[in-house]
Amino acid sequence: MSSKIDRLKALANEISSYEIERKKNLKRLKELFAQLKLSGKVMDFKELFDFKAINLSGISLNQKTIGKISEGKYAQIIAITYIEEDGKKRAKNISLGYFGRVENLDEVLKDQIVEFILRWRLEKSFMGVDRYRTLLKNFDRDET
């Protein structure tokens, strides 16, 4: 009996920490969305998640070199969507924010841009987890 209660407690802790982290992430993501003035291209915050991906040019997102600039490049947040043209799907890049040459970027602004991308990707991952959890409910069996 104790092991079932322990498993239930562990599951409850996991779910609550997941939800707390997700709420904090979304709150900060909304703040960054406003600070970076991205509403010019995306009117409603929720529309951000219609994009398949969001990338960054001019600043590294690689784990070992995160935040490192590529001199001579321009900092730009690029959203990727797919459009259907002549019966074929093709990727379309949309500039969400252009920030000029990376070597002229204020350090705080550079960090906000990188943080925005990472937080967007985290929320997009949470959405994927939600989708798969919903799908897996079709295969749940009582394990008593």
Side-chain angles (χ1 to χ4, degrees):
M1 177 74 114
S2 175
S3 69
K4 286 184 179 183
I5 291 172
D6 291 341
R7 285 193 315 221
L8 184 59
K9 283 180 184 177
L11 181 61
N13 286 337
E14 182 181 334
I15 291 169
S16 104
S17 66
Y18 167 91
E19 287 303 321
I20 290 168
E21 181 178 355
R22 187 172 185 183
K23 284 178 185 175
K24 285 169 47 175
N25 186 62
L26 262 176
K27 181 180 183 230
R28 180 66 179 142
L29 186 60
K30 286 178 184 177
E31 291 170 0
L32 290 166
F33 177 77
Q35 289 170 354
L36 296 172
K37 299 176 177 77
L38 300 179
S39 60
K41 296 282 179 128
V42 179
M43 303 302 174
D44 182 18
F45 175 78
K46 291 178 185 174
E47 290 175 14
L48 270 178
F49 303 103
D50 293 341
F51 298 114
K52 297 297 178 196
I54 293 184
N55 290 324
L56 178 59
S57 67
I59 305 169
S60 175
L61 293 173
N62 185 319
Q63 187 172 358
K64 291 182 181 178
T65 58
I66 192 143
K68 184 175 188 265
I69 63 167
S70 299
E71 289 199 29
K73 302 277 185 174
Y74 297 91
Q76 186 168 293
I77 297 174
I78 302 166
I80 300 165
T81 189
Y82 289 97
I83 59 171
E84 197 159 320
E85 203 172 76
D86 299 326
K88 296 180 184 176
K89 275 189 176 179
R90 70 176 192 87
K92 180 179 178 184
N93 293 347
I94 300 167
S95 175
L96 294 185
Y98 173 79
F99 303 95
R101 292 188 65 111
V102 292
E103 55 269 13
N104 297 333
L105 274 181
D106 174 81
E107 193 71 22
V108 172
L109 177 59
K110 180 188 66 119
D111 289 348
Q112 288 174 334
I113 294 167
V114 171
E115 182 183 359
F116 173 81
I117 303 293
L118 296 176
R119 289 189 180 282
W120 181 88
R121 289 179 177 183
L122 180 59
E123 178 56 26
K124 193 74 169 177
S125 296
F126 281 137
M127 290 175 164
V129 168
D130 289 346
R131 190 176 104 239
Y132 285 110
R133 279 184 171 170
T134 300
L135 290 172
L136 283 170
K137 286 181 182 175
N138 293 310
F139 300 96
D140 282 347
R141 306 289 186 263
D142 257 27
E143 295 184 26
T144 54

